[in-house]
Amino acid sequence: MSGELKFTLPEARRIALAALGFRQPRPRRAPNARDVRAVIHRLGLIQLDFVNLLVPAHYQVLFSRLGPYKRSILDDLAYRKREFTEQWAHVASIIPMDLWPVLRHRMAERRFWPYGFSRIMDAHPDYVAHVLEHVRANGPVRASELSHPEGADWRLPGTWGATVPRATLEAHFSQGDVAVTRRLSDFSRVYDAAERVIPAEHRQREIGREESQRELLRRAAKALGIGTAADLADYFRMPVREARPPIEQLVEAGELHRARVEGWRETAFLFAGAAAPSRIDAKALLSPFDPLIWYRPRTARLFGFEYRFEIFVPEGKVRWGRYVLPFLMGERLVARVDLKADRPGRRLVVQAAFLEEHAAPQEVAPALAAELRLEAEWLGMETVAVESKSGFDRILRRSL
């Protein structure tokens, strides 16, 4: 295929939605491990986030595509069956095991070291070595079980609760010396030596940096369907300047095709195997960390939808709400709802709901109400309560 392909914006939206798993209807039966496995492989990764106002975000990503499923299935696949594992990919993510060697060059480069890990590693080399020896000798360990180095503060200044033991374990995790073997009920990590968590076939596989970058961009393009160089680079948090040469190599190999999308200033790249359906009939509440919307410039380009995660925004500057989920209906983002799970009261609380200007309230409200009831049932809530009293909220309340 030669030359640039041309797509209207609705065509590009449908390609993107199909690639990210919104073309297929949800299973009519209870979703099983095969369904969960297929979604993760389709997306290439699932971003981890444990904010629990509603439900940890990685569980919501699967619910958006599968409907009500047992969350224990994901835990079982990742931490018991070892089909998936944790590593820095987009950010902290659950990844297929075969992605581990693809990311190894970034582990070696210490690409993801938050919390001042470098300062700890450089300031306390004997302690850092001791921690790794302790894990290798004694097996699974939590950060709270470790002592801290003499003469050092227990907590790292300027961080949200990070301790020196945790930072040290996280640093070893980031460079692939240890891996996450399970999560506890409070979501904290339990670490073990990588050789006891990552199968040898993946741990010992050698992939060069250049091929690794191509593979990351190949997986990003497959997941997104169509995107600019910046879109593809962001999927695995690669600098755009590093992404451009391997993108061109994928174009030359026929795995990507250059394209123009209506209204986009930048050249787009179409994955060679991407489906281009004529219709998308999806209905889903989207996690703030869903790959469909996590790169905000792409969200604005694809949907004309400005979105910001406001949980850490100062009170006076919050516009939409603390934990706002966009609502996908058909192929458009038509509303956004600020949700909270009131677990003692067993209520799914709609703290606020907002309709997009292009959407019809009488069409959106019944569809959103149905999705909210399904979400509530999945989370073990008995009722859905709409607390605010704006115009769209009243229509939504009637639909519920």
Side-chain angles (χ1 to χ4, degrees):
M1 189 179 295
S2 60
E4 284 187 340
L5 305 173
K6 293 184 180 180
F7 297 98
T8 65
L9 186 56
E11 287 171 337
R13 273 199 298 263
R14 291 192 290 270
I15 292 169
L17 287 164
L20 284 163
F22 291 106
R23 182 187 185 186
Q24 298 83 1
R26 289 168 171 170
R28 293 185 178 182
R29 48 167 174 74
N32 56 30
R34 183 173 60 253
D35 300 311
V36 171
R37 183 185 299 117
V39 171
I40 303 174
H41 281 295
R42 172 181 285 275
L43 302 182
L45 76 163
I46 295 184
Q47 180 177 338
L48 286 163
D49 187 85
F50 288 93
V51 172
N52 204 25
L53 282 176
L54 180 67
V55 64
H58 43 289
Y59 296 117
Q60 181 70 30
V61 170
L62 290 164
F63 174 82
S64 298
R65 291 155 176 83
L66 298 175
Y69 72 101
K70 291 182 179 179
R71 281 171 276 170
S72 60
I73 295 174
L74 175 59
D75 300 332
D76 187 58
L77 289 174
Y79 305 114
R80 285 178 283 280
K81 293 184 177 178
R82 308 283 195 211
E83 293 187 31
F84 303 94
T85 191
E86 293 188 26
Q87 190 46 248
W88 289 93
H90 179 74
V91 287
S93 306
I94 290 177
I95 63 169
M97 275 292 183
D98 68 349
L99 195 57
W100 179 276
V102 182
L103 295 170
R104 186 178 288 112
H105 73 282
R106 305 208 305 191
M107 301 178 201
E109 294 169 1
R110 301 180 177 183
R111 182 66 63 89
F112 292 100
W113 272 32
Y115 300 134
F117 291 173
S118 294
R119 294 198 306 273
I120 295 299
M121 302 292 273
D122 294 340
H124 305 284
D126 292 341
Y127 175 76
V128 168
H130 162 74
V131 167
L132 183 57
E133 290 170 6
H134 176 84
V135 176
R136 285 174 171 164
N138 297 285
V141 64
R142 293 175 290 171
S144 60
E145 296 172 340
L146 296 176
S147 61
H148 70 286
E150 294 183 7
D153 293 332
W154 178 258
R155 296 194 177 277
L156 268 64
T159 67
W160 285 46
T163 64
V164 172
R166 179 187 168 194
T168 304
L169 283 168
E170 287 287 319
H172 284 306
F173 165 72
S174 298
Q175 62 188 25
D177 296 322
V178 303
V180 176
T181 187
R182 68 180 186 273
R183 289 274 185 169
L184 301 179
S185 59
D186 64 357
F187 306 130
S188 60
R189 282 171 165 163
V190 179
Y191 305 83
D192 200 354
E195 54 266 28
R196 289 195 287 267
V197 177
I198 310 301
E201 63 178 300
H202 303 304
R203 197 178 66 254
Q204 296 172 2
R205 185 183 175 198
E206 297 291 337
I207 305 176
R209 189 177 192 276
E210 186 174 303
E211 176 51 36
S212 293
Q213 288 183 315
R214 278 196 301 272
E215 180 60 19
L216 291 175
L217 290 162
R218 182 183 291 118
R219 295 192 187 206
K222 181 180 180 181
L224 293 176
I226 190 169
T228 66
D231 297 341
L232 302 186
D234 176 78
Y235 207 82
F236 286 100
R237 289 294 171 91
M238 186 185 301
V240 179
R241 65 181 181 279
E242 289 186 16
R244 292 191 187 280
I247 287 174
E248 289 302 318
Q249 292 167 7
L250 292 171
V251 171
E252 292 172 8
E255 297 183 63
L256 299 181
H257 304 302
R258 287 188 181 84
R260 284 288 172 186
V261 176
E262 173 191 8
W264 292 14
R265 288 188 288 183
E266 297 291 326
T267 298
F269 298 91
L270 176 75
F271 182 66
S278 60
R279 178 182 173 85
I280 294 286
D281 190 25
K283 293 180 179 65
L285 286 163
L286 301 175
S287 158
F289 306 104
D290 194 291
L292 181 64
I293 59 171
W294 67 24
Y295 186 48
R296 310 310 189 207
R298 175 179 171 83
T299 306
R301 263 186 282 114
L302 266 178
F303 297 102
F305 189 90
E306 293 187 10
Y307 182 55
R308 180 172 67 165
F309 185 53
E310 298 184 301
I311 196 167
F312 301 120
V313 173
E315 186 65 39
K317 296 184 178 181
V318 174
R319 182 180 179 188
W320 304 109
R322 292 298 183 188
Y323 203 79
V324 171
L325 278 67
F327 179 52
L328 172 68
M329 179 177 162
E331 61 187 57
R332 301 295 301 274
L333 298 178
V334 296
R336 59 188 89 201
V337 286
D338 182 19
L339 293 179
K340 179 179 72 174
D342 172 14
R343 292 177 178 87
R346 301 193 69 179
R347 302 183 308 155
L348 177 62
V349 180
V350 180
Q351 301 186 106
F354 305 92
L355 187 73
E356 294 301 291
E357 290 183 0
H358 63 82
Q362 300 300 338
E363 295 178 2
V364 173
L368 177 55
E371 191 67 14
L372 288 167
R373 284 193 293 265
L374 195 65
E375 179 100 19
E377 179 184 352
W378 176 55
L379 296 177
M381 306 290 115
E382 294 179 348
T383 60
V384 180
V386 181
E387 289 192 338
S388 56
K389 298 179 180 179
S390 68
F392 181 59
D393 291 321
R394 287 195 296 271
I395 299 170
L396 180 59
R397 187 181 293 108
R398 286 198 299 269
S399 294
L400 284 163

